[in-house]
Each structure stands twice: as structure tokens, then as C-alpha cells.
Amino acid sequence: MTFRLAIVGRPNVGKSTLFNRLVGRKLALVDDQPGVTRDLREGQARLGPLRFTVVDSAGLEDATDDSLQGRMRRLTERAVDEADVCLFLIDARQGVTPTDEIFADILRRKSAHVILAANKSEGRAGESGYLEAFSLGLGEPIRLSGEHGEGMEDLLSVLMPLA
Ligand code: GDP
Ligand code: MG
């Protein structure tokens, strides 16, 4: 049995960097400008013994009009609706932002299983952001660093029972 994992979160939290690490190729564009991934990209991920489909979604923006932000939000909702598991990233260095909270509200209403991760957690700079993440009400977050490959064992252990 395999499953479909959607990586979701606002722009610039590190979704594409983590996607590329899981897929082992640079399929997704990584940029320090927020909002660079404007489409859904999917690839076959390998993590320990697991093989699964991973989707890199655009970030959610609080907009409902037909702007680019609205489109990114719809793409994100679609990614979530089509996924078995959502990996919701926040930036541990920035802490929980109002946009993260809007996102958490949407995810709580969805039926997909949600894994919360405090990304960019390498070093000590992410410690308070990690603690703030508990306030989102989505369970215990895991500490990740997509860029440095840290926390991948913790990700594996929460995904294992779902496979
Ligand atoms: P996305 O917009 O959510 O897809 O984010 P990206 O993957 O494009 O990354 C946005 C920025 O955050 C880039 O400058 C990345 O190099 C940086 N970044 C991504 N992952 C990490 C991480 O684990 N730690 C740190 N410190 N920076 C990261
Ligand atoms: Mg991206």
C-alpha cells in the first residue's frame, strides 16, 4: 500500500526544498522569493523503506478573488483534498504567523491526516517557533530541516503507521 502526501504551508516555509529532498531530484524550484511554486508538482518519494507520492503545493494566501493568491489557495485546497496525508509546514524561525493560523483552520476541516512540522529547525533558532506550533491545535509538531535533512527519521516514524 502506498499513499499520497501533500506538502502544504504558506510561501517560503521550505515546501519545495523538502519536496526535492524526498524526491531526490530538483523537480521543484526553490527560491527565496515567496510564492515561487505556483502549481502542483508531484514526484515519487523515498524515505527509508517507504515509497509514496509527494505533492508540492503552492502556498495558501488569504485571498478569495481570482488573483494569483486566490489561485494558489485553490491549488492548495485541491492538493489537500486529493491527499491521504498532509504535511503542514511552518517556519520555526519565524514562529506561527496569522497566515499559518488560517491554514490550520482549513486543515482542521479536512478529512486528510495532518502532520504538523516546524521546518527550518536546524540549530537553536527554531526552538521558540517549535513551541508556538503546539498552539495550532494540530497535535505535537515534529522538528524538521528540509535543507539540512534533519528530522527525517521523525517524519518516517509518523508516516510508517500510515503506509
Ligand atoms: P516554499 O516557498 O515553501 O516552497 O519554500 P522554498 O523551498 O522555496 O524555500 C524558501 C527559502 O527557505 C529558500 O531560501 C530556502 O533555501 C530556505 N529553506 C528551505 N528549507 C530550509 C531549512 O530547512 N532551513 C533553513 N534555514 N532554510 C530553509
Ligand atoms: Mg515552493
Side-chain angles (χ1 to χ4, degrees), residues 131-154:
L131 294 172
E132 276 179 44
F134 282 83
S135 73
L136 289 168
L138 289 166
E140 186 181 342
I142 56 174
R143 289 187 186 79
L144 280 186
S145 171
E147 196 156 84
H148 298 268
E150 294 176 16
M152 304 304 279
E153 311 74 17
D154 294 338

Side-chain angles (χ1 to χ4, degrees), residues 18-75:
L18 180 63
F19 172 90
N20 285 335
R21 176 171 293 279
L22 288 168
V23 170
R25 279 184 293 156
K26 300 224 157 157
L27 285 183
L29 198 56
V30 173
D31 199 276
D32 49 16
Q33 292 296 105
V36 153
T37 311
R38 289 186 178 142
D39 227 321
L40 300 178
R41 273 186 197 74
E42 69 175 74
Q44 293 310 305
R46 302 168 57 111
L47 184 60
L50 295 184
R51 304 287 178 272
F52 53 94
T53 302
V54 60
V55 179
D56 179 15
S57 74
L60 172 130
E61 306 270 294
D62 185 25
T64 49
D65 60 11
D66 221 43
S67 63
L68 181 60
Q69 282 79 10
R71 194 174 151 256
M72 289 202 294
R73 180 189 180 124
R74 285 194 297 279
L75 282 166

Side-chain angles (χ1 to χ4, degrees), residues 11-17 30-32 93 120 122 145-147:
N12 224 32
V13 293
K15 296 180 298 297
S16 298
T17 302
V30 173
D31 199 276
D32 49 16
R93 289 166 184 251
K120 309 195 185 181
E122 77 277 1
S145 171
E147 196 156 84

